[in-house]
Amino acid sequence: MEYIGEHLLIGKIGNVFVILSFVAALLASICYFFAARDNEETASWKGLAKNAFLVHGLSVIGIVVMLFIMLYNHYFEYEYVWHHSNKQMPMKYILSCFWEGQEGSFLLWTFWHVVIGFILQRSAKNWEAPVMSIISLVQVFLTSVLLGIVIFEHRIGSNPFTVLLRNHPNFQQVPIFSNPGYLEKLNGKGLNPLLQNYWMTIHPPTLFLGFALTVVPFAFAIAGLWKKDFIGWIKPALPWAFVCIAILGTGILMGGAWAYEALSFGGFWAWDPVENASLVPWLTLVGAAHVMLVNKTKGQSLFITFLLCILTFVLILYSTFLTRSGILGETSVHAFTDNGMSGQLLIYLFFFLALGVVLLCINAKRFLIKTGEEEGLWSREFWMFVGAIVLLGSSFQIMFSTSIPVWNKLFDTKMAPPSNPIASYNAWQIPFAFVVTLLIAVGQYFKYKQTALPDFLKRLSISFFASIIVTALFAYALHLTRAHYILLMFSTLFAVIANANYIVTVLQGKIKKAGASVAHVGFALVLLGALISTSKKQIISVDNSGTDISSLGEKISGRENIMLKQGDTLSMGEYEVTYIGKRFEGINVFFDVDYFSKGKDGKLNKAFTLSPRVQTNPQMGNVAEPDTRHFATFDVYTHVTYANLENAEEEKAKGSNEYSPAQIVDLKKGDSIFASNAIVILDSLSTNFDKTPYNLKATDIAVKAYLRVLDIAKAYTANPVFIIRNNNIQKPEPVKVEPLGLQFMFSKIKPETGSIEISMQEKKSNKRDFIIMQAFIFPYINVLWIGCIVMVIGTFLAIVERLKKNV
Amino acid sequence: MKKMHIIGIIVIAIAIGTIFTTLSSTSTYASFSEAAQEPDSEFHVVGKLNKEKETVYDPQANANLFTFFMIDNKGKECKVLLHKNKPQDFERSEQIVLIGKMQGEAFEASDILMKCPSKYNEGKIQETTASK
């Protein structure tokens, strides 16, 4: 069949670029390999290699451009475009569509490697050939993910340019493809609503740049082992390691900010497997960079330096495997599904792991058995080494827990992740953080080789005692009682104060030289902010009406959600909270919630409005997004967990005279019923009343109920009558209270219990809208965000200084 | 190399410590019957919503209680009391993971994870009604 309007040429061009980039990367890797050998042919190999990598880089850029054109123009004939975008979507999210899929995110990663490669070609000097050979080899693997060719019945990679929607195995039988003009009618599936957020346009490229940068210390370390220059590689790799720390760290924290602003779990960090998978390589990299610093001249602890550099990159590959293979299954909210790539990813992982381990083993005896001088106990080298070991331990604990699904696969066990992951991770990570922050506090006061201990203690004592006082004040003001929180607070404050003091007294305020200290202050502030905002997180939407379920575990309150009816006001923490109503704007339903604060005179003043929303998405499910009000010292977070999203039904109910089904209640004298807008009280019963309006006969038995109906403003009465005629109960007449939309019938007398039966009906329009919501207060969370910025600034200061020294 | 030996021992001790505590803090995937045998321990139970039976969520009475019936992977049905709000889109879920304890006849869940069907595998293609 001839299809109309398909754009097949662009796919063919894209596919050519894919093949070209793969072949050129392979060629570059081989040529750089020969160029790295020391003989007379080196120069010609190097020339060839440079050109091959240039072709590779340009092809990757070509792939990126082609994919963009396809997404931009909504070429839904391509499965990738159809799967990740649609016509309604704002242009700003086209970027997110690009990297939503596996192919796109690998492409992003590949692209950053190209950029890094171009820079290294110009800056790495005599390290260029071995380092670029490794990077090109990595590129061979990465571009093979896009190949989409079948070899021996195994498909290698998935190619966004060759998979047409109409050829996709899932859509073989879809009738739309029998129409040659099907494209006219086609719309894309669209982007996952969770990703339609501004953080999602900047978080993935930053994170992937961070991932990509880990290849540099790895490639340098491998090159060092290969060329048997065990120390020389460290200096040129150092600035890269620190750039990577800054960028990967920013990427991770952006993910936290996204979770805090747009996800609904009520926090910025949940020890989710996907979060852990990016945090762990960062930790090992921080360890790597610090031991690189102390080994760059003498090389006392080279083994761990190599190990950490190699491990970091391998962990990045392992993270990719964890998150992309679908092995995490139901343990992660992110849970990507397997699209047949996991075997391929494992091969990459084991290849680079083996490369590192083999090279390390071959050379091990060169730096493991090194008799003679060992660094002194009170030297900076030694404590940097200890710090790296602690970071390694922390990484190990996180990775071991996160890999539970992997252990299940390997050992056929049925372990589930801890039911309270945050508590079980914190149990280990708080002590680790304590040790790390202590080391950060004292680290710079140690001198290289040997420190004079009395001098060291004297310099630190001021900071130490100041931190104790500040900790005591903070702990008192914040009502911090748990010992491990107080200890962590002390160590983070100690790190902040000692490093600030170092800048003032030792560096005499020379901020340009203070990069490390500034970064350390920032890191400690991040931990401090995290500590206070999570340990003192306050749930203000407490519902005390429910049953007590403390038997299920102390962490589970079962009371975090509260119902708020439209117009009602409930007290939450220091606020009075009112649900105003909902607004429909495009695909979003906003729920306006007003917060009032009590003035000194007891009057309520409106403080602010929060509008948490639900993004409706019939294709992929609705997504609720919280709304947060930021203050200098705390945040008020509000999230709708359940709400009626229908508009039409309520509109119909408005002004309608229909009544809802009756509510039947047994009442004794003095009992009351709650209607949605009033309280109904049975005052009395009487047989002695004026019977003329009821056309009663003398033989009839009649009882009249006196109901008092109270709303906020006024009291009404309703007097339904119960009649027995000739031993038959007469059909009761409803008595209406028109202003309140209520009607009552007196339907039974129950002498055995001494009660009567009243059936009450409410007009449908009486039903008020309601939401189920959660409200939390996060105190001092700004300390965390400020810490992030300080840390990044500090790291860049350190990089600038380092580059100056290297030149 | 004395110092290195001490550090080595500490590292190994910490590694063993993490492995053991991690293994002891893990929960277990189980069926309703297995969970019923140990009413004091917490389990993860995987299953499907029984769509035939009624689900009850009455926020007026208790906004933190949602009741439904789930059939576990072994085919056993059990009443579930979830001590949370009713999750949005609950009826669409194709797989449920409950975290909680069996208490008598009912499973008391403190948390729930749901897997919603990915439309991708359903072979459906959305058509634009007004092609614009």
Side-chain angles (χ1 to χ4, degrees):
Chain A
M1 192 190 301
E2 282 288 316
Y3 291 101
I4 303 162
E6 287 184 335
H7 309 79
L8 298 182
L9 180 64
I10 189 163
K12 289 192 177 117
I13 299 171
N15 196 27
V16 169
F17 278 133
V18 169
I19 295 164
L20 202 57
S21 70
F22 174 76
V23 175
L26 192 61
L27 192 65
S29 183
I30 294 166
C31 295
Y32 269 126
F33 178 83
F34 286 112
R37 299 193 312 175
D38 306 308
N39 55 35
E40 63 277 9
E41 290 169 13
T42 308
S44 60
W45 280 115
K46 199 170 177 179
L48 205 56
K50 269 185 187 289
N51 287 325
F53 194 82
L54 183 68
V55 171
H56 163 74
L58 292 178
S59 310
V60 170
I61 292 165
I63 300 171
V64 172
V65 171
M66 292 304 129
L67 197 56
F68 256 117
I69 293 174
M70 280 156 54
L71 281 164
Y72 187 85
N73 293 314
H74 306 299
Y75 290 165
F76 296 129
E77 56 270 42
Y78 295 97
E79 197 271 343
Y80 194 85
V81 180
W82 173 84
H83 194 166
H84 299 289
S85 69
N86 67 18
K87 285 180 186 168
Q88 288 82 26
M89 206 162 42
M91 255 316 140
K92 60 182 171 182
Y93 295 133
I94 286 289
L95 283 165
S96 307
C97 301
F98 182 87
W99 47 67
E100 190 199 33
Q102 177 153 277
E103 297 87 338
S105 55
F106 271 88
L107 191 52
L108 185 61
W109 191 3
T110 317
F111 170 76
W112 285 127
H113 277 167
V114 166
V115 174
I116 293 164
F118 282 161
I119 298 171
L120 280 171
Q121 279 188 319
R122 275 150 196 81
S123 66
K125 298 185 187 106
N126 49 353
W127 285 100
E128 182 190 338
V131 166
M132 286 304 296
S133 177
I134 311 287
I135 291 181
S136 304
L137 190 60
V138 174
Q139 292 297 80
V140 173
F141 283 103
L142 283 183
T143 44
S144 78
V145 170
L146 296 172
L147 274 181
I149 52 167
V150 179
I151 297 173
F152 303 125
E153 294 178 3
H154 286 285
R155 190 169 61 94
I156 296 181
S158 162
N159 188 328
F161 299 107
T162 53
V163 183
L164 291 179
L165 189 58
R166 58 182 159 85
N167 292 337
H168 196 279
N170 285 348
F171 306 115
Q172 288 301 307
Q173 305 304 323
V174 180
I176 187 174
F177 296 122
S178 53
N179 175 1
Y182 75 98
L183 270 177
E184 291 272 303
K185 292 183 183 170
L186 201 61
N187 193 7
K189 189 166 157 281
L191 183 67
N192 185 335
L194 280 173
L195 304 184
Q196 298 190 21
N197 178 289
Y198 61 92
W199 285 111
M200 269 298 122
T201 52
I202 55 168
H203 161 62
T206 314
L207 193 69
F208 273 99
L209 177 55
F211 281 180
L213 282 162
T214 61
V215 82
V216 184
F218 171 78
F220 269 101
I222 296 286
L225 288 170
W226 168 17
K227 301 303 293 174
K228 306 221 183 288
D229 182 354
F230 301 126
I231 296 176
W233 63 277
I234 296 177
K235 245 183 196 164
L238 251 182
W240 287 96
F242 280 101
V243 170
C244 183
I245 289 175
I247 302 227
L248 188 55
T250 312
I252 294 168
L253 288 164
M254 276 177 177
W258 169 61
Y260 184 63
E261 292 290 333
L263 295 188
S264 46
F265 62 79
F268 52 87
W269 194 263
W271 295 109
D272 183 88
V274 174
E275 294 172 337
N276 296 348
S278 52
L279 174 68
V280 168
W282 186 80
L283 290 174
T284 55
L285 180 73
V286 169
H290 283 82
V291 283
M292 279 162 81
L293 269 178
V294 293
N295 280 294
K296 65 179 186 294
T297 44
K298 287 190 67 190
Q300 289 93 334
S301 45
L302 280 171
F303 183 76
I304 190 154
T305 314
F306 280 113
L307 184 73
L308 285 170
C309 285
I310 292 167
L311 202 58
T312 301
F313 180 69
V314 172
L315 280 169
I316 292 283
L317 294 177
Y318 181 63
S319 299
T320 315
F321 166 73
L322 274 186
T323 51
R324 299 280 159 173
S325 67
I327 198 165
L328 292 174
E330 55 258 3
T331 63
S332 168
V333 286
H334 294 67
F336 297 90
T337 45
D338 184 12
N339 56 356
M341 215 65 75
S342 45
Q344 209 174 333
L345 290 172
L346 274 182
I347 293 171
Y348 303 168
L349 171 65
F350 285 119
F351 177 82
F352 286 106
L353 182 65
L355 181 68
V357 170
V358 167
L359 278 172
L360 206 52
C361 289
I362 292 173
N363 295 295
K365 62 172 189 273
R366 296 287 191 89
F367 35 76
L368 262 190
I369 311 156
K370 198 174 154 195
T371 47
E373 63 171 320
E374 188 186 349
E375 62 262 33
L377 182 60
W378 301 109
S379 68
R380 193 183 280 190
E381 294 90 322
F382 177 68
W383 290 101
M384 288 271 219
F385 171 76
V386 171
I389 295 283
V390 175
L391 287 171
L392 196 60
S394 152
S395 314
F396 178 74
Q397 193 272 331
I398 300 172
M399 242 352 172
F400 186 81
S401 288
T402 309
S403 303
I404 285 174
V406 179
W407 310 142
N408 281 342
K409 266 261 158 67
L410 283 176
F411 306 113
D412 199 28
T413 43
K414 287 205 293 183
M415 289 185 288
S419 17
N420 188 349
I422 295 184
S424 67
Y425 279 105
N426 283 357
W428 275 99
Q429 295 304 320
I430 287 177
F432 279 129
F434 174 74
V435 178
V436 167
T437 39
L438 275 188
L439 288 173
I440 287 175
V442 301
Q444 288 201 303
Y445 289 87
F446 282 115
K447 293 210 166 79
Y448 285 104
K449 284 183 188 162
Q450 195 65 32
T451 314
L453 211 51
D455 191 38
F456 170 79
L457 292 177
K458 206 176 96 191
R459 285 173 153 200
L460 264 172
S461 57
I462 301 167
S463 308
F464 182 78
F465 290 114
S467 316
I468 290 181
I469 293 165
V470 177
T471 307
L473 289 175
F474 273 30
Y476 176 76
L478 292 165
H479 307 289
L480 216 58
T481 48
R482 295 220 178 150
H484 58 286
Y485 289 150
I486 296 174
L487 279 174
L488 184 59
M489 175 171 265
F490 164 74
S491 66
T492 51
L493 282 168
F494 187 32
V496 172
I497 293 169
N499 278 287
N501 190 27
Y502 189 83
I503 299 173
V504 177
T505 56
V506 180
L507 301 172
Q508 279 142 4
K510 281 180 214 134
I511 207 78
K512 275 185 191 166
K513 298 218 180 274
S517 302
V518 173
H520 287 155
V521 169
F523 180 73
L525 287 176
V526 169
L527 285 180
L528 186 66
L531 169 70
I532 301 175
S533 65
T534 47
S535 68
K536 288 284 131 189
K537 168 180 159 184
Q538 192 193 349
I539 300 162
I540 53 173
S541 58
V542 188
D543 180 7
N544 285 321
S545 63
T547 44
D548 181 36
I549 53 152
S550 48
S551 67
L552 286 180
E554 54 185 284
K555 283 272 173 185
I556 300 127
S557 70
R559 290 182 171 164
E560 294 180 5
N561 296 286
I562 201 159
M563 185 174 81
L564 198 51
K565 282 191 185 172
Q566 192 166 15
D568 276 0
T569 304
L570 285 177
S571 197
M572 293 189 202
E574 293 184 354
Y575 295 100
E576 297 291 321
V577 182
T578 304
Y579 169 42
I580 301 298
K582 59 185 165 206
R583 287 179 286 129
F584 291 80
E585 281 179 21
I587 56 164
N588 292 308
V589 186
F590 289 91
F591 300 89
D592 292 323
V593 180
D594 278 3
Y595 278 73
F596 295 87
S597 55
K598 283 189 206 103
K600 277 179 189 153
D601 48 358
K603 272 189 188 164
L604 291 180
N605 303 309
K606 186 169 158 186
F608 51 89
T609 304
L610 287 177
S611 307
R613 62 179 165 139
V614 173
Q615 220 185 100
T616 55
N617 189 323
Q619 285 253 310
M620 279 176 241
N622 301 330
V623 170
E625 224 173 88
D627 195 15
T628 307
R629 174 79 180 190
H630 306 277
F631 293 97
T633 55
F634 65 95
D635 281 6
V636 182
Y637 167 101
T638 301
H639 175 54
V640 170
T641 50
Y642 188 81
N644 179 16
L645 301 173
E646 301 291 318
N647 202 12
E649 201 179 306
E650 273 165 51
E651 286 302 321
K652 213 166 52 185
K654 255 179 213 161
S656 110
N657 277 322
E658 275 178 62
Y659 283 88
S660 321
Q663 195 184 340
I664 296 162
V665 230
D666 280 359
L667 290 178
K668 286 182 190 167
K669 221 171 108 180
D671 284 354
S672 49
I673 332 170
F674 290 90
S676 56
N677 51 2
I679 302 171
V680 183
I681 304 163
L682 174 62
D683 275 338
S684 61
L685 296 167
S686 169
T687 48
N688 185 15
F689 56 94
D690 178 14
K691 286 164 183 152
T692 39
Y694 301 96
N695 296 324
L696 293 176
K697 293 180 185 159
T699 51
D700 293 349
I701 301 165
V703 184
K704 189 176 194 173
Y706 291 85
L707 296 171
R708 195 147 42 101
V709 185
L710 306 166
D711 79 344
I712 297 167
K714 234 178 132 183
Y716 303 87
T717 55
N719 303 321
V721 178
F722 178 78
I723 302 164
I724 297 176
R725 179 172 295 164
N726 306 331
N727 289 331
N728 288 323
I729 296 171
Q730 297 296 295
K731 191 175 180 291
E733 280 292 311
V735 174
K736 292 184 174 155
V737 181
E738 207 56 70
L740 298 180
L742 293 172
Q743 68 175 21
F744 301 92
M745 282 187 287
F746 186 168
S747 42
K748 232 180 243 174
I749 292 184
K750 295 180 167 174
E752 67 277 9
T753 54
S755 61
I756 63 165
E757 188 181 276
I758 293 282
S759 83
M760 178 176 79
Q761 281 186 289
E762 289 192 48
K763 270 192 184 161
K764 280 185 175 162
S765 53
N766 268 13
K767 287 275 179 217
R768 280 183 301 163
D769 190 24
F770 69 89
I771 51 172
I772 310 293
M773 60 168 270
Q774 295 180 330
F776 305 144
I777 286 184
F778 291 98
Y780 296 100
I781 195 162
N782 279 344
V783 173
L784 186 147
W785 306 127
I786 291 168
C788 298
I789 297 165
V790 172
M791 182 163 68
V792 171
I793 292 173
T795 314
F796 276 108
L797 283 174
I799 295 161
V800 170
E801 200 56 25
R802 178 67 43 203
L803 285 174
K804 269 192 216 158
K805 277 186 199 164
N806 274 11
V807 170
Chain B
M1 294 298 277
K2 263 186 200 158
K3 239 171 21 217
M4 287 300 152
H5 291 158
I6 296 167
I7 288 175
I9 291 163
I10 293 172
V11 166
I12 292 166
I14 289 177
I16 293 172
T18 39
I19 291 173
F20 272 93
T21 48
T22 305
L23 291 181
S24 64
S25 70
T26 54
S27 170
T28 313
Y29 287 109
S31 64
F32 281 130
S33 335
E34 286 165 304
Q37 306 202 333
E38 284 176 70
D40 292 330
S41 329
E42 207 156 33
F43 288 101
H44 282 53
V45 184
V46 186
K48 283 192 173 77
L49 171 70
N50 185 349
K51 290 186 179 162
E52 315 274 290
K53 290 207 177 168
E54 199 188 15
T55 63
V56 182
Y57 185 54
D58 181 8
Q60 303 236 27
N62 184 353
N64 293 299
L65 181 66
F66 173 52
T67 334
F68 58 95
F69 288 86
M70 188 179 97
I71 302 169
D72 71 11
N73 284 346
K74 294 215 168 125
K76 192 188 166 183
E77 186 200 68
C78 184
K79 186 179 183 180
V80 178
L81 306 175
L82 172 67
H83 295 279
K84 271 185 104 171
N85 59 292
K86 175 181 177 176
Q88 285 291 355
D89 270 349
F90 180 74
E91 279 79 7
R92 287 167 59 122
S93 71
E94 67 178 14
Q95 195 190 43
I96 302 172
V97 184
L98 296 172
I99 303 167
K101 295 174 180 175
M102 191 63 114
Q103 310 263 290
E105 288 297 295
F107 190 81
E108 305 247 5
S110 56
D111 212 346
I112 186 170
L113 301 164
M114 299 190 314
K115 256 216 175 130
C116 285
S118 119
K119 288 281 165 183
Y120 181 59
N121 297 320
E122 287 183 9
K124 276 185 197 162
I125 287 185
Q126 195 192 7
E127 294 183 26
T128 39
T129 38
S131 54
K132 199 187 170 184

